[in-house]
Amino acid sequence: MRITPNMFAIPYGLAGLATCWGYAALLKLAPAIVAGVLLIATAAVWLVLVVGYLSQVPRRRGGWRAELADPVLGPFVSLIPIVGMLLAIGLMPHALATGRWLFGVFAVATTVLAGWMTGQWLVEDLDLDRLHSGYVLPAVAGGLIASIGAALAGWTGIAHAFMGLGVVSWLLIGSAIMARLMFRPRLPAPLTPTLAIEVAPPALAGLAYLAITHGRVDLVALALGGFTALAVIVQIRLIPVYRRLSFGPAFWSFAFPYAAVATFALHWVNYGRPVGYKVWAWIVLLAITAFIAALVAETIAALARRRFLPQLQ
């Protein structure tokens, strides 16, 4: 099988689900063992893809330079170190020193890759119509996840720096993407699921802010919560668009963003503590788990039919 960078959205989504269960365990709403099992499964899938991908790229035309410069798939290469950061964050509660070291390595790799790709976009003649929401992955998602990890590692100053990297990149790159989505022709069908990525930045920014402030709810947290709610409503409006699509690797674009929203929602459920808040928390957990389990089942079925390879133009 030819492994393409967008396939790393699979362990990215699984890591998001593991993080959601881990956050629920931190809030004493769910058992921690589920998060541990999911992290092990994520690590296994990630390692298989990394080994296969790293062995294939040197044999492809153009090698790494062409891979990183690809206007459609290039941004997804950043998911390799980003998933590494998520795995390291999951390791910290069990082996803090090892988790910190691994997180530091992957955070540096993510930052370097984000800078390289941003510079590449500045010097290349990019086609605006090929711009998609995946372009927020290297600097925006990478920066905000690095902020969360640095805060959990106890590196508050570094967490603030990564927060700035992620938020400012979100404002700049996200604005360009939104202008393209609104005023240019629709994305081709295989890339339409990447619209789900738009819901991730506000949720990740909110989680990063909560990690830095140790769960403090103030004007900033409320503002990010409000914007996340708006992004969720946009996703609901897009359901009829998504239902017309055929399943493929791009459908894994839904997994991590929705898991990030579910994790952020758990915070608000725990903070507001409405009547039966534990039931509401379990509804959120089971809903995102069922959704990603359905993606896993569809992926296995598509692989069995040899119809999972991307068909991007």
Side-chain angles (χ1 to χ4, degrees), residues 180-193:
R180 179 264 177 269
L181 294 175
M182 287 183 172
F183 301 112
R184 296 298 300 165
R186 288 187 180 183
L187 289 170
L191 281 174
T192 299

Side-chain angles (χ1 to χ4, degrees), residues 46 50 58 69-70 110 147 151 210 260 289 303:
W46 179 72
V50 166
D70 189 291
T110 299
S147 178
L210 292 172
T289 302
L303 284 170

Side-chain angles (χ1 to χ4, degrees), residues 14-292:
L14 294 175
L17 181 60
T19 301
C20 189
W21 277 90
Y23 193 68
L26 183 65
L27 297 176
K28 309 297 184 183
L29 297 173
I33 189 172
V34 179
V37 171
L38 288 170
L39 277 173
I40 292 172
T42 300
V45 174
W46 179 72
L47 283 171
V48 169
L49 289 174
V50 166
V51 171
Y53 183 66
L54 294 181
S55 65
Q56 290 179 10
V57 171
R59 300 197 299 269
R60 297 177 187 173
R61 180 177 297 180
W64 280 106
R65 181 177 293 275
E67 206 73 13
L68 294 175
D70 189 291
V72 174
L73 295 176
F76 292 96
V77 176
S78 64
L79 290 179
I80 298 175
I82 288 175
V83 175
M85 284 196 298
L86 290 168
L87 291 172
I89 290 171
L91 183 61
M92 284 183 194
H94 310 285
L96 181 59
T98 303
R100 279 175 168 173
W101 275 103
L102 286 174
F103 170 77
V105 170
F106 288 120
V108 170
T110 299
T111 305
V112 171
L113 193 56
W116 178 274
M117 286 186 170
T118 303
Q120 182 76 19
W121 300 336
L122 292 175
V123 299
E124 291 291 330
D125 296 326
L126 294 180
D127 181 357
L128 183 61
D129 289 344
R130 302 185 80 177
L131 188 67
H132 57 80
S133 298
Y135 276 70
V136 304
L137 292 173
V140 181
L144 293 174
I145 291 171
S147 178
I148 295 170
L152 295 177
W155 305 333
T156 305
I158 296 175
H160 279 97
F162 277 124
M163 181 79 171
L165 187 160
V167 170
V168 175
S169 298
W170 175 28
L171 295 175
L172 296 175
I173 300 173
S175 297
I177 293 171
M178 191 59 63
R180 179 264 177 269
L181 294 175
M182 287 183 172
F183 301 112
R184 296 298 300 165
R186 288 187 180 183
L187 289 170
L191 281 174
T192 299
T194 62
L195 292 172
I197 297 174
E198 293 295 326
V199 80
L204 286 175
L207 290 170
Y209 185 78
L210 292 172
I212 292 172
T213 62
H214 304 288
R216 186 178 70 211
V217 175
D218 56 16
L219 179 62
V220 175
L222 290 168
L224 291 170
F227 192 74
T228 302
L230 174 65
V232 169
I233 295 171
V234 172
Q235 291 298 306
I236 295 173
R237 167 60 183 87
L238 293 174
I239 289 175
V241 177
Y242 295 148
R243 292 183 63 182
R244 294 195 293 266
L245 302 173
S246 299
F247 183 80
F251 266 61
W252 277 94
S253 298
F254 294 104
F256 184 87
Y258 290 3
V261 170
T263 305
F264 200 25
L266 286 177
H267 169 80
W268 293 109
V269 170
N270 185 68
Y271 171 73
R273 298 214 168 189
V275 176
Y277 75 96
K278 290 187 177 180
V279 175
W280 288 108
W282 274 98
I283 289 173
V284 171
L285 277 174
L286 294 178
I288 188 60
T289 302
F291 180 77
I292 294 181

